[in-house]
Amino acid sequence: LCLLALTGCDELLDAIGRDQYLGGPPLDAEVGPADVAGEWLLTGSGRMFDCADEAYETEQLKLDAAPLAVVQDGERITVPNPPAVAGGGRFSFVSGQVTGSRVAFVTEERLPDGDVLTLRFEGILDNLGRVAGDFEGEGPRSCSSEGQFSIEIR
């Protein structure tokens, strides 16, 4: 706080990289996208709330996806062969992008009853080849969800 009081907010943000903390591109964006291709093991936890059906509400939401074979072309990431969903549902990797070490992607799971769960993920790749960050989403049953995730890349 002393540094902030002496230098002011603008000087401090300039010193630590204004864009990184104000939603701009990550500091390493100019070096190109990090390599995140490979087999992803996605796990996470969070909560599901404000559901039309209270039976879906939980403070202990767990994400434990089947391995995802991620392909990268520049900044764009895709999953050409998404895993099958038990019970006749369908999983799709809607979109994905890598900017520097920042990774953002959207998934959608169509459940057997036709309802849809959409999740948006944003994380940072670390030096050990793991991505960690936050997710938020909608569905099923009009639920909202939020939490943290991590990805081990093999």
Side-chain angles (χ1 to χ4, degrees):
L1 290 176
C2 293
L3 177 63
L4 181 60
L6 293 173
T7 63
C9 290
D10 285 336
E11 289 83 3
L12 182 59
L13 284 171
D14 288 340
I16 61 176
R18 175 180 299 271
D19 285 346
Q20 182 76 16
Y21 294 93
L22 297 179
L27 296 175
D28 60 354
E30 65 276 357
V31 300
D35 181 7
V36 298
E39 182 181 69
W40 284 16
L41 302 176
L42 169 68
T43 57
S45 62
R47 67 188 193 112
M48 193 171 282
F49 56 98
D50 292 340
C51 302
D53 182 343
E54 288 184 12
Y56 282 78
E57 295 200 14
T58 182
E59 294 292 320
Q60 308 214 357
L61 176 63
K62 297 288 183 204
L63 302 180
D64 193 14
L68 302 173
V70 175
V71 175
Q72 183 171 351
D73 182 12
E75 292 185 346
R76 185 171 177 249
I77 52 177
T78 59
V79 176
N81 299 306
V85 175
R90 187 171 38 100
F91 172 86
S92 59
F93 192 92
V94 177
S95 63
Q97 181 169 337
V98 182
T99 306
S101 59
R102 189 178 297 161
V103 180
F105 60 98
V106 178
T107 65
E108 184 177 278
E109 186 173 344
R110 184 164 302 280
L111 305 176
D113 66 3
D115 209 346
V116 176
L117 170 62
T118 302
L119 296 174
R120 289 174 302 286
F121 298 83
E122 290 189 14
I124 300 290
L125 177 69
D126 68 17
N127 292 336
L128 301 175
R130 293 178 303 216
V131 176
D134 299 314
F135 72 87
E136 61 180 27
E138 299 86 35
R141 306 296 183 266
S142 302
C143 295
S144 294
S145 55
E146 63 184 13
Q148 293 75 45
F149 75 96
S150 65
I151 298 169
E152 179 184 342
I153 302 173
R154 294 184 181 175

